[in-house]
């Protein structure tokens, strides 16, 4: 397993190109199952999760080509079940359930395993497809769904932690081919849902309200192939913005969408970071002086849970007390103990982390645990004195394209150490 070796104390400077969004492209890849015609998807990030989803689609009969950040997918002959070992290993694969059900009127997918950030239930996904008329059987770790017909319905998708992003995606995709009108209430409003809806509309779907809490879908008989360019990854952009702030540097995020980063940029500015917006880019200037801030993760457009770990790393550098509260997932503080190995002072009190920042961090070997926790450790390692080794960076490779190369081009002293 590969590691990153990081010499801290650098100042990041320069431009970085933001890749396409992982959390937009995974449901969009699943949406190609809704037609037998060819779909072309551009600005696809070269990530292990994307390649994994490609293998899952191939295991159910789709033809998938991926070169030069462009996916060409043709799901002419698909079957309703796939390689369970693959499907079980990636949570995002749950979003093939809706399109397979809509296309074939039956689907069998394995229940996604939990992961380090929480149990990751799918009760809302199942509620959604049952509302359209699917008969569900959960057995042996799999969900078997059958629907001789799918009828539009009114579905309230709010759960105990608010809307569900992939649950909204699943229902949105299934509803495009259902008979009649589906209204999704308490739908997720993330930009990735808008991007999925844009792709579905390019395929001929009839969708209104994507990006708002109420989405209306009028079913059509069939969908055709389409071309689409994926939105930029707002979490990658946010991560590089935090890295610029953490090292007191100045970084221009090429291709970033400031309108997708409102809550993140607001917190950075509250902490004293300067933000300059320009056409198709965003420049983040740290000035070495950071103020502590409080943040609570919320559904979009609130502060994103996927930026919680990165903000915690930054607040370790801000003299004073910051309180970071995680309201989306039940255990998303795995990075706290690893940050403490770098000398951070963090106390966990229920859903909140109390960060006493300002003490200099010093490098040490640390262990990545999930995708965004790993990013937080890389940020902290660049700001720490001495050497930090981040182990198990395969977690990072799931959601950041060539992170070490992008950081190196900004002046970071970081290298990938191949593991056994
Ligand atoms: C998506 O996961 C993202 N993943 C996650 O990003 C992101 O953290 C999450 O949305 C929240 O924004 C992808 O898009 C591939 P949810 P998703 O359903 O859709 C509960 C990353 O780092 N819930 O919106 O699986 C759930 O337990 C990843 O890129 C139910 O209770 O998340 C959580 O508490 C991590 N029942 C809350 O809702 C359900 O049926 C939000 O989860 C479904 C979810």
């Amino acid at each position: 397993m590969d590691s990153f070796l990081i010499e801290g104390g650098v100042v990041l400077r320069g431009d970085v190109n933001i890749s396409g969004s992982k959390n937009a492209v995974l449901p969009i890849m699943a949406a190609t199952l809704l037609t037998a015609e060819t779909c072309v998807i551009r600005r696809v990030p070269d990530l292990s999760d994307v390649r994994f989803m490609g293998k899952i689609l191939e295991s159910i009969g789709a033809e998938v080509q991926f070169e030069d950040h462009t996916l060409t997918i043709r799901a002419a002959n698909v079957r309703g079940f796939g390689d369970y070992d693959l499907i079980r290993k990636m949570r995002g694969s749950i979003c093939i359930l809706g399109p397979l059900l809509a296309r074939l009127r039956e689907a069998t997918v394995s229940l996604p395993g939990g992961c380090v950030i929480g149990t990751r239930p799918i009760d809302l996904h199942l509620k959604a497809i049952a509302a359209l008329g699917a008969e569900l059987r959960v057995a042996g770790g799999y969900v078997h769904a059958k629907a001789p017909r799918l009828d539009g319905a009114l579905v309230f998708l709010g759960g105990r932690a608010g809307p569900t992003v992939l649950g909204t995606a699943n229902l949105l995709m299934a509803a495009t081919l259902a008979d009649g009108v589906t209204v999704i209430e308490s739908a997720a409003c993330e930009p990735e849902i808008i991007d999925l809806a844009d792709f579905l509309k390019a395929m001929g779907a009839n969708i209104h309200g994507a990006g708002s809490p109420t989405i209306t879908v009028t079913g059509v008989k069939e969908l055709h192939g389409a071309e689409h360019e994926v939105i930029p990854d707002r979490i990658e952009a946010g991560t590089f913005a935090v890295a610029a702030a953490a090292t007191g540097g100045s970084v221009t995020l090429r291709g970033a969408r400031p309108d997708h980063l409102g809550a993140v940029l607001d917190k950075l500015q509250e902490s004293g970071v300067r933000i300059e917006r320009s056409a198709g880019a965003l420049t983040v200037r740290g000035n070495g002086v950071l103020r502590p801030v409080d943040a609570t993760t919320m559904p979009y457009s609130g502060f994103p849970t996927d930026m919680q770990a990165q903000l915690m790393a930054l607040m370790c550098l801000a003299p004073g007390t910051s309180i970071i509260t995680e309201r989306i997932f039940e255990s998303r503080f795995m990075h706290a103990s690893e940050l403490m190995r770098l000398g951070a002072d963090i106390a966990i009190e229920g859903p909140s982390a109390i960060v006493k920042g300002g003490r200099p961090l010093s490098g040490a070997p640390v262990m990545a645990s999930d995708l965004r926790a790993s990013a937080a450790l890389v940020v902290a390692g660049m700001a720490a004195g001495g050497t930090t080794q981040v182990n198990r960076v395969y977690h990072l490779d799931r959601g950041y394209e060539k992170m070490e190369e992008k950081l190196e081009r900004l002046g970071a002293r970081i290298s990938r150490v191949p593991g056994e």
Side-chain angles (χ1 to χ4, degrees):
M1 290 183 241
D2 293 2
S3 307
F4 281 169
L5 210 51
I6 301 165
E7 286 305 319
V10 301
V11 175
L12 297 184
R13 282 202 181 81
D15 292 10
V16 61
N17 290 326
I18 298 303
S19 300
S21 163
K22 164 179 87 80
N23 292 350
V25 75
L26 293 177
I28 285 171
M29 289 174 76
T32 64
L33 296 171
L34 290 164
T35 178
E37 297 181 10
T38 300
C39 294
V40 178
I41 307 161
R42 294 192 172 79
R43 190 164 48 189
V44 176
D46 191 351
L47 303 170
S48 54
D49 269 12
V50 168
R51 291 186 178 277
F52 211 77
M53 180 62 105
K55 293 260 175 293
I56 288 172
L57 297 182
E58 283 177 334
S59 78
I60 52 181
E63 295 156 40
V64 179
Q65 282 165 348
F66 185 28
E67 51 199 59
D68 192 19
H69 296 94
T70 300
L71 271 169
T72 306
I73 302 177
R74 183 168 170 272
N77 315 299
V78 287
R79 50 184 176 279
F81 55 89
D83 178 332
Y84 300 133
D85 236 13
L86 284 175
I87 294 173
R88 190 172 43 78
K89 285 190 189 124
M90 186 174 79
R91 158 96 188 164
S93 61
I94 187 66
C95 61
I96 66 172
L97 179 59
L100 274 182
L101 197 61
R103 176 83 183 280
L104 301 176
R105 296 297 195 261
E106 69 172 326
T108 297
V109 293
S110 68
L111 288 167
C115 59
V116 284
I117 62 177
T119 52
R120 310 300 292 274
I122 60 164
D123 56 308
L124 297 171
H125 295 249
L126 301 183
K127 171 184 177 184
I129 57 172
L132 297 185
E135 291 141 26
L136 297 172
R137 193 166 51 83
V138 177
Y142 303 121
V143 177
H144 307 273
K146 262 189 186 316
R149 48 175 300 125
L150 284 179
D151 293 311
L154 169 66
V155 190
F156 181 82
L157 261 195
R160 63 182 174 291
T164 161
V165 176
L166 288 181
T168 301
N170 248 333
L171 179 52
L172 189 55
M173 290 186 279
T176 57
L177 294 177
D179 292 334
V181 178
T182 296
V183 177
I184 309 176
E185 288 186 337
S186 188
C189 302
E190 272 70 3
E192 293 77 26
I193 292 295
I194 298 175
D195 209 31
L196 172 62
D198 288 345
F199 178 58
L200 291 167
K201 286 188 270 191
M203 295 172 79
N206 183 336
I207 300 170
H208 296 281
S212 84
T214 305
I215 304 177
T216 303
V217 186
T218 304
V220 295
K221 274 287 156 265
E222 63 177 13
L223 296 178
H224 51 72
E227 304 211 1
H228 182 76
E229 181 171 278
V230 175
I231 54 172
D233 193 313
R234 60 191 169 98
I235 305 301
E236 183 194 31
T239 303
F240 277 91
V242 165
T247 60
S250 170
V251 174
T252 295
L253 311 169
R254 295 241 164 273
R257 291 267 309 257
D259 57 319
H260 290 169
L261 282 160
V264 174
L265 299 180
D266 177 58
K267 276 300 155 199
L268 290 178
Q269 285 175 304
E270 186 186 332
S271 181
V273 178
R274 279 172 297 146
I275 307 285
E276 288 154 30
R277 290 166 168 74
S278 58
L282 193 61
T283 299
V284 179
R285 295 184 201 287
N287 56 16
V289 177
L290 289 165
R291 292 189 291 268
V293 300
D294 297 339
T296 299
T297 64
M298 283 181 261
Y300 193 85
S301 57
F303 190 85
T305 176
D306 292 348
M307 282 298 302
Q308 180 256 105
Q310 299 91 314
L311 182 68
M312 189 184 295
L314 186 65
M315 288 302 106
C316 294
L317 309 170
T321 301
S322 300
I323 300 177
I324 297 175
T325 302
E326 174 58 58
R327 290 284 182 215
I328 304 296
F329 289 108
E330 62 261 40
S331 61
R332 199 170 193 177
F333 286 143
M334 300 285 285
H335 41 285
S337 51
E338 294 305 300
L339 288 169
M340 288 191 254
R341 287 176 51 76
L342 300 177
D345 178 348
I346 304 169
I348 305 296
E349 297 280 339
S352 296
I354 296 147
V355 182
K356 288 199 176 71
R359 213 161 59 186
L361 300 181
S362 58
V366 288
M367 188 71 77
S369 55
D370 83 281
L371 169 54
R372 308 305 177 183
S374 324
L377 297 177
V378 172
V379 167
M382 287 190 294
T387 305
T388 295
Q389 173 154 337
V390 181
N391 295 309
R392 297 189 182 172
V393 292
Y394 65 85
H395 288 292
L396 267 173
D397 295 334
R398 290 188 43 217
Y400 292 92
E401 183 175 350
K402 297 191 176 60
M403 184 185 225
E404 77 276 20
E405 291 178 20
K406 291 188 175 185
L407 287 171
E408 211 173 9
R409 279 201 291 278
L410 291 171
R413 289 195 297 263
I414 181 170
S415 56
R416 180 182 287 260
V417 177
E420 58 285 355

